[in-house]
Amino acid sequence: TTTPESRVMNSIHPGQILKSHFPAIESPGRLVPVEASGFSGAAIFRVDTQAGSFCLRRWPTGTMSGSRLAGIHRLVTEIFRSGIRVVPVPLAAENGLSFVEDGGTLWQLEPWMPGEADFHETPTAARLESALTMLARIHNVGEAASPAAIHRGTPQTIPERLEILRETVRDSVRIEAGLSQESDARFRIVARKIATLFAKRQTAITAALNDASRNPVPILPCLRDVWHDHLLFSGDTLTGLIDFGAVRLDTVSADLSRLLGSLFQSSFELDRSRWDEALSIYERSRPLTTGERSLIPILDESGVILSGMHWLRARYVRNSPFDLPRVCERLESIAARLEAR
């Protein structure tokens, strides 16, 4: 069977990318595919050299423009220069840029960050403080560095989610038809739960998002994909914050709902004291506006349910291939959160 890793290795060999574009890196003693079929579609390779370990990342073709990637790298560099050393700053390639284009695909090389994504195994108060303080500091740097940041506006995530809700409702007939013919029992059971919960809640979620669109909040550079698996800890200290591919102008409420939902695996409404404790840590470095605070539970619920429906649409509407057992595991976690409400 051809694995995702072998398909990546056989298309454009990462060793050739290093040789052609990063000649300053000595011949690697080990070059190993770490993730070639993740949820983002990126391919990631660990490169071990005498000078240390690096991460070679291939961005999915067609998902990232050079100008956008250059802007993300400028922000990461600004964050690092501010004294926040947990972010991986890409190395300059032979062309002098922080990325290269080869065969229509973008690649970048960055330090391999230390630590493990194991907050769930060791959910200490010190770790939570480290993560929330770091996120607040990153938001402060991004806001100060971005000329496009504004004091009050409607975050892009709100109209986007409203549109996705409308599209998902339109796709409901095809989703139902696919579910009725689903051959994988595990996927069918969990997908049915999520589809049923979506049908019950989509009207209320739509109304909440429409209400939120009338309450402007600060708009600034946000990570948008900051969650459990992207936070690396060494002991109680956050030593790595990885994957900045989703960065754009948005609301910090999106980052906070995404992060805390993944760390706690619980909803804002049912675990409010713990969420409030975490938000108070964040606010020591960056106070939240009333609008930002009220938006967090709305983005929490809408984000979780739309994440679940994304995979149903991928399977029954777009016919997209994916790692079925891994997606089932993700969907079961989503269903458990939704059913607990």
Side-chain angles (χ1 to χ4, degrees), residues 106-124:
L106 300 181
W107 297 75
Q108 69 183 64
L109 184 70
E110 61 194 38
W112 189 270
M113 302 307 289
E116 300 293 334
D118 59 357
F119 181 90
H120 288 162
E121 287 73 22
T122 314
T124 66

Side-chain angles (χ1 to χ4, degrees), residues 54-91:
F54 299 88
C55 172
L56 180 65
R57 178 188 298 269
R58 187 201 69 176
W59 292 98
T61 304
T63 63
M64 180 72 73
S65 69
S67 59
R68 176 159 147 56
L69 189 56
I72 292 172
H73 290 172
R74 284 194 295 272
L75 176 62
V76 173
T77 301
E78 190 68 30
I79 292 169
F80 186 87
R81 286 175 177 166
S82 76
I84 302 172
R85 301 305 169 88
V86 300
V87 299
V89 177
L91 279 68

